[in-house]
Amino acid sequence: PVPVWLDCDPGHDDTFAILLAAYHPGLKLLNISTVHGNASLDKTTNNALSVLAAIGKQHEVTVYPGAAHALERAPIHAPTDIHGESGLDGTELLPRPQTAADRSVSAVDAMAAALRATEPGTAFLVATGGLTNVGALFLKHPDLAAHIRGLSIMGGSIGGGFTPAVLGKVDGKERIGNYTPWAEFNILIDPEAAASLFENLVLAAKTTLIPLDLTHLVLATQEVNELLLYGPDAGVKEGRGKTDLRVMLVELLNFFAGTYRDAFGIVEGPPLHDPLAVAIALIGTEWEIPFYDFDPKSTAGERRHERFHVKVETEGSLEDALKGAKTGQTVATLLASGKEGVRIPRGLDIAMFWKVIEECVSRADEV
Ligand code: BDR
Ligand code: CA
């Protein structure tokens, strides 16, 4: 299995990232670090421990609390109308933590030691929160950029030629960000950390970015809820499938659906951003979920693996950004064919993705 370290801020969608990383047979979850973001660091750490308890992995996976604020900025937490007061509202079935976080070493050093202990060129680092811990990791341990196989980041928004994120319009123009018209939340909360990753060319060539343009194609619809609640045996619903874990996960999705409906007017279901970044670690294995790396509007003959240079806008404060500055925007420039750079998938096999998620729920249910 591919060794994976998950850095996250649970978070409704982070919960599914943890589930996928912990229960996919093609992945070996090394451990988890937490970061400020969807809520304060204390809350995201608490939530990570609770999720591990809910899925029966609390004794196998350790949680290391990381940064409580950005490298150079005060903390920004997601508005409570997205993930609720706790960062993971919407269900009574989430257990309290059954284990404690490990505070004997810093998250950055725990991550470095775990990654360094893997065979060179095998491990994936997956980031589904603000990039403070991951930025600090490569600043302190720069050799790890050459050591790992890949870095996968849920963050950013590209817009333009990409499948547009369905986030409405501002002054008649397409809105590409979620937190501000230009910026996606994970990048905006620590743009300096994000910029330091994309400026590291050794790392950028191994980085996959999963922006809103992609995550907004993967909505947890009513049909998905049914699959997760009852399992794949469509039609035989009475007394089948439905367990406390399945109910809890669907209650979390329903809460997330409500916030996306109210905040963004998205009625089909909420985008399940974070587990897509975990799924990237399966690429090149027998478990690969097909992601495609070309403009869907190109003709079959023109289709090629696109790579990008990504620049993060670091100018401006949060206040500036809320008034319209482009702080936290990810600007992606297509590189000439054959050049190394950041991978930004344009699409994927969505049905297969949900099937894989359901299989992980099913495995967790057997524990
Ligand atoms: C990202 O922000 C968080 O609210 C989600 O968990 C996801 O990681 C989407 O912008
Ligand atoms: Ca997240």
Side-chain angles (χ1 to χ4, degrees):
V2 178
V4 169
W5 184 284
L6 178 60
D7 186 74
C8 58
D9 64 336
H12 292 75
D13 50 333
D14 300 80
T15 298
F16 285 83
I18 295 172
L19 176 82
L20 179 58
Y23 275 101
H24 196 289
L27 304 175
K28 165 80 186 97
L29 178 56
L30 295 171
N31 277 317
I32 287 177
S33 47
T34 49
V35 67
H36 63 101
N38 285 327
S40 67
L41 178 69
D42 284 346
K43 288 181 181 175
T44 59
T45 302
N46 204 64
N47 293 342
L49 293 165
S50 287
V51 170
L52 288 172
I55 64 174
K57 287 284 183 183
Q58 69 276 27
H59 299 300
E60 280 171 56
V61 181
T62 303
V63 176
Y64 294 87
H69 57 80
L71 293 180
E72 301 172 18
R73 293 169 187 249
I76 305 169
H77 301 145
T80 51
D81 55 0
I82 302 294
H83 295 271
E85 199 54 54
S86 70
L88 199 47
D89 277 11
T91 180
E92 299 281 309
L93 293 170
L94 185 70
R96 284 176 191 282
Q98 291 170 16
T99 47
D102 189 337
R103 296 171 194 274
S104 66
V105 285
S106 72
V108 162
D109 288 346
M111 227 188 280
L115 292 172
R116 204 165 270 134
T118 58
E119 283 291 309
T122 60
F124 256 86
L125 175 53
V126 179
T128 64
L131 291 158
T132 316
N133 294 342
V134 177
L137 173 75
F138 291 104
L139 291 174
K140 187 167 178 194
H141 303 275
D143 60 297
L144 285 175
H147 183 83
I148 59 171
R149 171 152 162 251
L151 168 65
S152 178
I153 297 171
M154 188 283 126
S157 189
I158 311 302
F162 274 68
T163 309
V166 206
L167 289 162
K169 298 205 166 179
V170 183
D171 299 335
K173 288 207 202 101
E174 178 193 319
R175 176 191 171 113
I176 64 169
N178 54 8
Y179 198 99
T180 72
W182 299 103
E184 182 279 332
F185 181 71
N186 289 344
I187 302 291
L188 178 73
I189 64 174
D190 197 344
E192 286 77 18
S196 75
L197 299 173
F198 296 118
E199 282 162 12
N200 178 336
L201 296 184
V202 177
L203 201 53
K206 297 181 175 188
T207 298
T208 302
L209 185 67
I210 302 288
L212 295 179
D213 313 71
L214 189 73
T215 67
H216 279 252
L217 300 176
V218 184
L219 305 177
T221 59
Q222 198 45 43
E223 198 185 327
V224 166
N225 279 357
E226 298 248 323
L227 173 70
L228 298 184
L229 200 51
Y230 300 107
D233 290 329
V236 199
K237 291 181 184 165
E238 270 321 291
R240 304 254 338 229
K242 208 166 171 181
T243 59
D244 277 0
L245 176 64
R246 289 181 183 272
V247 172
M248 181 196 92
L249 293 171
V250 171
E251 284 180 354
L252 289 174
L253 288 177
N254 282 336
F255 182 90
F256 208 34
T259 65
Y260 267 78
R261 193 171 45 237
D262 297 345
F264 301 110
I266 298 174
V267 294
E268 302 95 315
L272 205 68
H273 316 278
D274 291 341
L276 290 167
V278 177
I280 291 298
L282 294 166
I283 285 173
T285 74
E286 59 177 304
W287 306 99
E288 174 164 343
I289 298 172
F291 279 80
Y292 61 82
D293 289 356
F294 48 81
D295 181 347
K297 293 187 293 300
S298 58
T299 61
E302 290 168 351
R303 288 178 179 183
R304 65 182 185 86
H305 294 295
E306 297 171 336
R307 292 294 180 267
F308 295 84
H309 171 75
V310 176
K311 186 180 170 300
V312 177
E313 181 55 71
T314 53
E315 284 294 311
S317 63
L318 175 66
E319 292 68 37
D320 297 333
L322 291 171
K323 284 194 216 126
K326 295 187 173 179
T327 320
Q329 187 186 5
T330 44
V331 180
T333 312
L334 182 63
L335 296 170
S337 190
K339 284 250 184 196
E340 292 194 332
V342 178
R343 175 177 196 193
I344 311 178
R346 303 259 192 151
L348 74 150
D349 184 336
I350 295 170
M352 183 167 170
F353 169 77
W354 287 119
K355 181 171 173 287
V356 168
I357 295 285
E358 194 285 326
E359 287 165 356
C360 290
V361 178
S362 178
R363 281 182 211 110
D365 242 349
E366 283 161 20
V367 174

